């Protein structure tokens, strides 16, 4: 599997990728807004990293 996908016109440029994710169990009641907010927080945590980063939101119990 290749991590590179050639797209015409995008070469010779530097790109950074910041991903954020949030998950929930189907047994839990969670609104879309809360899930979106958690994923957004995770994405901004990724943006603080240098280069490519992915952060998964989780709560500590």
């Amino acid at each position: 599997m290749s991590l590179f996908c050639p797209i015409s016109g995008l070469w010779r440029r530097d790109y950074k990728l910041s991903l954020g994710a949030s998950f929930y169990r189907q047994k839990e009641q969670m609104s879309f807004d809360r899930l979106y907010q958690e994923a957004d927080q995770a994405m901004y945590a990724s943006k603080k990293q240098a280069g490519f980063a992915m952060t998964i939101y989780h709560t500590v119990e």
Side-chain angles (χ1 to χ4, degrees):
M1 183 172 105
S2 174
L3 295 177
F4 298 101
C5 180
I7 299 173
S8 178
L10 294 180
W11 55 283
R12 294 187 183 174
R13 296 183 182 165
D14 293 330
Y15 295 94
K16 293 183 180 180
L17 180 64
S18 301
L19 297 174
S22 180
F23 300 97
Y24 74 100
R25 294 181 185 99
Q26 288 183 336
K27 296 177 184 178
E28 295 178 29
Q29 294 291 328
M30 182 180 286
S31 70
F32 172 80
D33 288 336
R34 180 175 167 202
L35 190 64
Y36 184 88
Q37 288 172 353
E38 290 177 359
D40 194 49
Q41 288 177 19
M43 184 206 45
Y44 279 102
S46 291
K47 285 186 173 220
K48 292 179 183 178
Q49 306 297 317
F52 296 91
M54 178 178 176
T55 304
I56 299 174
Y57 183 95
H58 70 298
T59 56
V60 178
E61 297 179 12

